Amino acid sequence: MCSFLSTGLALLCVFLSQEVASIQFPTGVTRTECRGRYFWIWMDKAALGPSSWTYSVFNELGQRIPVTDHVAAQCGFTKTTDLYGNPEIRVSFLGCSIHNLFDQDFSLHLQVEVTSPSNVTVAYDVSMKCPLGSAWSPREIVCEENYMEVSVRRAVPGIASEALNEDWIAVWPVAQGAMNQVWQVVFHFQNGSLQNMMATEAHALGYGVNTTASRVLFRTPYSTQQTEIAMVKGLEVEVARATVFYKQAWMILMVDTAVACPINAPVFTATTLSWVTPRIMPSLVAFPRLYQDEAIEMGLDGLVIDRVTVARNGYTFLTDRTDFISITVPIGAAGGLTESDVMDNHYGTTYSIRLMLDRKWQGDESDRTRHRSLKLIRTPFALQTLVLINNTIPERGYFDISLGNFLPDVELTSVGIGGLPLTPKDLKTRGCHLDERPNPNNTRVLILQVPFTDPLVEQKYLYGNIRRYTVRLDYVLNLVPKDKLFTYPAVIECDVPDVVLPTFEGFCDTGKIGLVMTRGNLDHYWVSYVGNQRLTSELIMSQNYTVQDDGKYFYLSVPFLAVGLSYRDISLQGLTAQLDFSLRDNKTLVTTVVFSFACIFPTGRLLVCLPNGTMAATVLSLDTKPSLDPRNTHLRDRNCGPVAADESRALFSFPVASCGTTRRFEGNYLVYENEVTFKREMIPGAKPVITRDSQYSLTLRCRYPLNETLQVVAQRLQGEIGTPPPYALRVKGYQQKRSADHQNVSQPRVAYLSTGAAEKSWLWFPAFGAALVVGGFLPVIFLGC
Ligand SMILES: *[C@@H]1O[C@H](CO)[C@@H](O)[C@H](O)[C@H]1NC(C)=O
Ligand SMILES: *[C@@H]1O[C@H](CO)[C@@H](O)[C@H](O)[C@H]1NC(C)=O
Ligand SMILES: *[C@@H]1O[C@H](CO)[C@@H](O)[C@H](O)[C@H]1NC(C)=O
Ligand SMILES: *[C@@H]1O[C@H](CO)[C@@H](O)[C@H](O)[C@H]1NC(C)=O
Ligand SMILES: *[C@@H]1O[C@H](CO)[C@@H](O)[C@H](O)[C@H]1NC(C)=O
Ligand SMILES: *[C@@H]1O[C@H](CO)[C@@H](O)[C@H](O)[C@H]1NC(C)=O
Ligand SMILES: *[C@@H]1O[C@H](CO)[C@@H](O)[C@H](O)[C@H]1NC(C)=O
Ligand SMILES: *[C@@H]1O[C@H](CO)[C@@H](O)[C@H](O)[C@H]1NC(C)=O
Ligand SMILES: *[C@@H]1O[C@H](CO)[C@@H](O)[C@H](O)[C@H]1NC(C)=O
Ligand SMILES: *[C@@H]1O[C@H](CO)[C@@H](O)[C@H](O)[C@H]1NC(C)=O
């Protein structure tokens, strides 16, 4: 009776591959169920792991036929996944290769070939038997994901009904002229034309045409050459109007196998999804006037649900409208599944639900139709705003951060702290606390606690006793089944009043100025400066600083003419030297703490080259023997005397452009030079000239480099440092600074004038580019350079 079938299968047999010996799946890996008119088979995705799989069935000759997408749509197979991603196979009871016992009992034997990533294929047998369940309706239509199927009872009614279907009337002439004893199919189009073909041809085009003990079956994939789209009140329906017929010498059997399935897209709002289908399906109802619903039920995953469940899940199921039937589901409602997704590194969700609409209607006396549509609906990606909450309480000593709200399919891969990625295990090892808190709505929150003391937490001193802890986090999260990574960065700060600042005590010693710092808890991180000079070991060595640091106390002593000090005042009484000690942030070099302390040292022989072009010098009478009266000294310009003088010393202070100062270029330097000489008192009339006083001349020379890149080179000059002990002058006791105003305060440089003939010395002035040369004493030796 089904002679064309073997031809159809013969075509498929071309694709046969080698036989693979098959075994049974281990228990628990598969689950099977007879549901509706289907064999349902699920496989555990965890058991399959990364393996790929295909499946095959066997024809009557026992040959294996791999089920490709093409074969599946023709033969009533659907390969898909359940909501949770487990592979699922659905097979129609009327599918190919099903052993069908009088349309009452069905058995399936298929083979699943699982190929591991290492290319090892194992074949597993799956066999199941299903009873019919609810009795066949005269006509049953199924709208599957990948095909439309109709089966019609082929028992001939007693007396032919007078109400002939229009399509039948059209087919009649075709059937009359057709070949005998061959099943044929006629397709009808909206434009009125017909296309007829033998069942074998229809088979070759991908249609399934078959007969069973009591039924005629027609199956078509969607969107074929012979299917058409019909619009019903704005709703799209895909229709295949086919008539299958069989002619013998004395009779023609025609079966209307028209099939129509709603295909319009679901409608999404922010909170719901709706699926609307026409009430009366075109081409399936001949006399809409006579149309009557017998049952309209909704289902999930192929199972009908009752009205109580519909209400409990919050669905809206409208069946009482004239033109349409609609199902509206709140997004996230029970029965569906909300899953995480990632798009452009943004976290979001999609919601999927597998709806079913199962209807029975009566078109006219002879038309009893059962129509089932299975519809998988997946909402578009909906961005979810992640919520980061800073629960940090400064007193607790750790950051407390929660990030949510994640579905169960999100897994924390790592958290980068300060750029270092740390797995949950690493985090625990280093003393961070990681936890999860569930929300009532199946989402959860990740809680991370990071101690302030963790080395990856940045610290910054702000002011007073306030320090700012900053933790830079990069959450890396993964969607578990999809294996999609996304990141979420966060920066959390906390200002904590836990800084103990250092305290200072300054002291003046013979020829030295210094301080003792009692350390606090943050200054270890800071760098020390003396004036503008960083306190490096080079500076300490070259300038004969003394530094001691036992971690609790820091001691610094600086010779009073060393580089790093500044000088505030010079008078006949003394030279005020100031030590500006500061601590600066190790990264930004912002000054955090400043301590300034000044001492006055007795004025000795000094030359000071001021940055504004003023030269200042003190001259002592002790420098000559016999001593002369310093009040009688002057510069080259005799009118330029000391600005202050007593019987033992004189102070000169004059701009470089006056008092006969000469100027010359020496390489890259501008050298200013003047001379202190003694006003000789002549005794008139006597010859040879006798002078009471010795001749006295002292060269003062300042060198100013022309270019700006200068290096501080200071050299202590030989000579006595003032005999009387210095007395201390506290200038600024102790001061803290908030911001880094590095003052470019011009400071003069000081050197002792040397006693002794061949001494010369240089002082370089970083900020102003001045250097000085100190010449010797009588007999005047001019110390040129
Ligand atoms: C036709 O139906 C028979 C069972 O009645 C089945 O064995 C056969 O595989 C089917 N063939 C096709 C092509 O559907
Ligand atoms: C697995 O085997 C097939 C056929 O033998 C071959 O084409 C394919 O390249 C193999 N794949 C791997 C990853 O070895
Ligand atoms: C009618 O429509 C079908 C399908 O769209 C097409 O194949 C056929 O050529 C059309 N016939 C005429 C006469 O337009
Ligand atoms: C889940 O619950 C949390 C906390 O109660 C809430 O913030 C979040 O918005 C909820 N998420 C959804 C999708 O309802
Ligand atoms: C700089 O100071 C910070 C604290 O402010 C500390 O964490 C860091 O280790 C210090 N860096 C160096 C190189 O000393
Ligand atoms: C986190 O919380 C702390 C303590 O309440 C607060 O001082 C800080 O400003 C917060 N930081 C951020 C980045 O929100
Ligand atoms: C140069 O600076 C000194 C010290 O700051 C000051 O006493 C003197 O008046 C200044 N001279 C001129 C010409 O500005
Ligand atoms: C500046 O002058 C000094 C001394 O002559 C020289 O060593 C240095 O290279 C000069 N720097 C520049 C940038 O010209
Ligand atoms: C440092 O002390 C040494 C020896 O006491 C001395 O030779 C040197 O000139 C001193 N340097 C300075 C810059 O005072
Ligand atoms: C100090 O001098 C440096 C170099 O001349 C300059 O870059 C800086 O801006 C000055 N700072 C202030 C506060 O004037």
Side-chain angles (χ1 to χ4, degrees):
M1 111 184 135
C2 308
S3 57
F4 67 92
L5 295 174
S6 11
T7 326
L9 281 184
L11 289 170
L12 296 172
C13 294
V14 173
F15 306 106
L16 289 186
S17 44
Q18 273 178 305
E19 282 301 320
V20 186
S22 57
I23 53 173
Q24 294 295 315
F25 266 116
T27 24
V29 174
T30 52
R31 195 158 60 81
T32 59
E33 192 180 313
C34 307
R35 190 180 276 190
R37 300 280 195 243
Y38 290 99
F39 301 94
W40 293 63
I41 300 157
W42 295 271
M43 287 175 272
D44 182 11
K45 69 175 177 205
L48 283 180
S51 300
S52 61
W53 62 278
T54 56
Y55 65 112
S56 311
V57 289
F58 299 90
N59 66 8
E60 292 97 13
L61 306 174
Q63 291 163 315
R64 191 169 68 90
I65 302 156
V67 182
T68 60
D69 288 350
H70 176 84
V71 170
Q74 182 168 28
C75 287
F77 291 77
T78 305
K79 175 183 180 179
T80 178
T81 57
D82 71 3
L83 286 178
Y84 306 95
N86 296 305
E88 178 182 300
I89 301 171
R90 294 195 290 268
V91 184
S92 166
F93 282 176
L94 302 177
C96 312
S97 306
I98 305 301
H99 188 257
N100 179 339
L101 204 64
F102 302 115
D103 288 332
Q104 293 301 312
D105 287 290
F106 305 88
S107 42
L108 166 72
H109 173 212
L110 54 76
Q111 180 177 296
V112 179
E113 296 100 28
V114 178
T115 304
S116 71
S118 54
N119 229 0
V120 175
T121 300
V122 180
Y124 297 96
D125 270 331
V126 178
S127 295
M128 56 190 295
K129 277 187 167 45
C130 287
L132 175 64
S134 61
W136 289 105
S137 292
R139 174 165 66 171
E140 295 209 354
I141 291 171
V142 170
C143 301
E144 246 294 1
E145 275 177 41
N146 57 333
Y147 61 83
M148 306 188 272
E149 181 187 87
V150 57
S151 72
V152 180
R153 188 166 62 195
R154 65 182 170 120
V156 181
I159 300 291
S161 162
E162 67 283 5
L164 274 187
N165 181 318
E166 264 177 59
D167 285 352
W168 283 7
I169 296 164
V171 174
W172 192 251
V174 180
Q176 279 184 313
M179 265 164 58
N180 276 348
Q181 287 184 301
V182 175
W183 284 93
Q184 302 199 28
V185 184
V186 178
F187 289 98
H188 308 255
F189 301 108
Q190 280 168 5
N191 59 18
S193 65
L194 300 175
Q195 183 182 2
N196 77 307
M197 58 185 77
M198 285 187 287
T200 44
E201 291 174 74
H203 216 282
L205 289 174
Y207 297 101
V209 185
N210 205 352
T211 56
T212 63
S214 63
R215 304 180 77 80
V216 173
L217 170 81
F218 175 72
R219 191 181 296 116
T220 169
Y222 288 96
S223 309
T224 68
Q225 285 268 297
Q226 284 74 27
T227 61
E228 291 180 311
I229 307 291
M231 295 298 288
V232 186
K233 311 259 181 206
L235 301 171
E236 282 180 304
V237 177
E238 183 156 349
V239 180
R241 283 161 71 197
T243 304
V244 171
F245 69 91
Y246 184 81
K247 187 182 155 201
Q248 281 181 352
W250 61 89
M251 76 157 220
I252 296 174
L253 172 66
M254 284 197 293
V255 183
D256 179 3
T257 53
V259 57
C261 287
I263 57 162
N264 57 296
V267 176
F268 302 107
T269 69
T271 53
T272 61
L273 58 88
S274 316
W275 181 39
V276 183
T277 57
R279 182 181 201 84
I280 297 190
M281 303 299 283
S283 306
L284 298 185
V285 178
F287 306 103
R289 268 182 311 112
L290 303 176
Y291 174 90
Q292 264 189 313
D293 287 314
E294 283 185 342
I296 306 180
E297 287 175 301
M298 124 168 222
L300 294 175
D301 295 310
L303 287 175
V304 165
I305 55 171
D306 59 21
R307 291 270 166 181
V308 176
T309 310
V310 168
R312 193 180 51 228
N313 289 359
Y315 310 149
T316 309
F317 184 33
L318 297 180
T319 55
D320 55 350
R321 306 300 145 107
T322 342
D323 296 326
F324 61 87
I325 297 165
S326 99
I327 298 176
T328 301
V329 175
I331 289 173
L337 180 73
T338 309
E339 281 176 288
S340 300
D341 204 351
V342 169
M343 203 175 270
D344 297 333
N345 200 37
H346 290 298
Y347 178 70
T349 52
T350 57
Y351 173 75
S352 311
I353 189 163
R354 304 208 300 178
L355 296 178
M356 180 177 72
L357 184 63
D358 192 349
R359 312 168 50 185
K360 288 193 190 100
W361 71 68
Q362 182 170 0
D364 55 46
E365 269 314 298
S366 63
D367 171 18
R368 292 281 199 288
T369 301
R370 181 167 184 196
H371 188 282
R372 267 169 302 171
S373 297
L374 301 174
K375 182 90 172 171
L376 167 66
I377 298 177
R378 175 166 282 132
T379 62
F381 178 82
L383 198 65
Q384 299 294 325
T385 311
L386 294 183
V387 184
L388 181 97
I389 300 174
N390 171 12
N391 297 311
T392 310
I393 294 171
E395 293 73 34
R396 291 201 180 144
Y398 56 83
F399 286 103
D400 189 344
I401 303 137
S402 72
L403 181 64
N405 301 292
F406 297 111
L407 288 169
D409 60 356
V410 177
E411 205 177 65
L412 181 72
T413 302
S414 67
V415 181
I417 303 184
L420 182 70
L422 300 164
T423 63
K425 199 163 155 255
D426 297 339
L427 286 166
K428 284 189 178 120
T429 316
R430 65 186 296 129
C432 299
H433 186 69
L434 193 62
D435 209 353
E436 287 186 5
R437 199 187 58 229
N439 286 326
N441 58 11
N442 194 36
T443 61
R444 69 203 210 286
V445 170
L446 298 173
I447 295 167
L448 176 66
Q449 293 170 349
V450 182
F452 291 153
T453 51
D454 191 293
L456 295 173
V457 171
E458 293 168 29
Q459 310 187 357
K460 190 174 165 223
Y461 174 68
L462 289 188
Y463 57 88
N465 63 345
I466 309 291
R467 102 170 94 182
R468 173 167 295 167
Y469 293 97
T470 306
V471 67
R472 291 172 201 283
L473 300 173
D474 290 292
Y475 288 88
V476 180
L477 298 132
N478 192 27
L479 306 190
V480 184
K482 300 196 175 87
D483 202 22
K484 278 185 173 177
L485 286 175
F486 68 103
T487 58
Y488 187 87
V491 177
I492 311 291
E493 297 173 344
C494 190
D495 297 350
V496 184
D498 65 351
V499 178
V500 177
L501 288 168
T503 55
F504 295 90
E505 201 60 54
F507 63 83
C508 300
D509 200 351
T510 310
K512 284 181 177 155
I513 180 167
L515 61 84
V516 174
M517 171 171 76
T518 307
R519 284 195 174 275
N521 61 2
L522 201 51
D523 42 275
H524 302 91
Y525 292 121
W526 295 339
V527 288
S528 307
Y529 274 70
V530 173
N532 291 330
Q533 308 285 317
R534 187 166 178 165
L535 187 61
T536 58
S537 48
E538 289 77 27
L539 182 69
I540 292 169
M541 298 281 279
S542 69
Q543 298 303 313
N544 291 351
Y545 287 13
T546 310
V547 172
Q548 282 162 18
D549 190 359
D550 64 2
K552 186 159 165 43
Y553 296 103
F554 171 87
Y555 169 94
L556 170 69
S557 142
V558 179
F560 92 109
L561 287 180
V563 163
L565 299 182
S566 61
Y567 304 96
R568 303 206 309 145
D569 195 21
I570 180 166
S571 69
L572 284 182
Q573 282 68 44
L575 170 71
T576 307
Q578 181 167 322
L579 169 64
D580 292 304
F581 181 79
S582 58
L583 293 169
R584 302 188 186 183
D585 186 275
N586 66 11
K587 275 201 205 96
T588 60
L589 294 185
V590 169
T591 303
T592 52
V593 175
V594 171
F595 175 72
S596 293
F597 190 75
C599 298
I600 298 178
F601 295 90
T603 315
R605 298 161 292 265
L606 287 171
L607 170 61
V608 183
C609 296
L610 292 166
N612 60 6
T614 297
M615 292 168 76
T618 48
V619 177
L620 300 188
S621 62
L622 302 169
D623 292 342
T624 59
K625 279 192 178 80
S627 62
L628 23 90
D629 187 348
R631 284 170 290 209
N632 285 335
T633 52
H634 60 79
L635 296 167
R636 277 185 188 145
D637 181 340
R638 295 178 153 267
N639 298 319
C640 294
V643 292
D646 59 20
E647 64 284 346
S648 62
R649 53 204 164 166
L651 171 67
F652 289 93
S653 177
F654 56 98
V656 291
S658 66
C659 296
T661 311
T662 58
R663 188 182 75 168
R664 68 171 192 281
F665 290 97
E666 250 180 35
N668 285 325
Y669 299 94
L670 192 52
V671 178
Y672 291 98
E673 201 171 280
N674 210 322
E675 213 175 9
V676 177
T677 41
F678 181 67
K679 268 186 224 163
R680 219 179 262 186
E681 283 174 18
M682 302 290 189
I683 298 170
K687 285 205 178 180
V689 175
I690 297 165
T691 60
R692 211 164 43 97
D693 300 324
S694 23
Q695 194 185 12
Y696 177 87
S697 171
L698 178 64
T699 301
L700 306 175
R701 186 180 296 149
C702 287
R703 281 179 23 135
Y704 293 84
L706 292 171
N707 72 13
E708 291 299 317
T709 54
L710 295 159
Q711 198 194 358
V712 180
V713 181
Q715 190 180 346
R716 179 189 283 260
L717 297 174
Q718 186 183 324
E720 310 233 319
I721 295 162
T723 18
Y727 48 99
L729 170 72
R730 202 176 179 108
V731 176
K732 290 183 219 162
Y734 172 46
Q735 177 190 352
Q736 284 163 228
K737 295 197 127 188
R738 219 201 131 140
S739 63
D741 40 350
H742 294 237
Q743 291 124 320
N744 285 352
V745 177
S746 303
Q747 294 287 358
R749 298 292 314 166
V750 186
Y752 267 111
L753 291 174
S754 86
T755 55
E759 302 284 344
K760 68 172 177 179
S761 197
W762 306 87
L763 282 176
W764 301 83
F765 306 99
F768 340 109
L772 71 82
V773 180
V774 182
F777 294 99
L778 221 157
V780 176
I781 298 167
F782 177 70
L783 298 167
C785 31

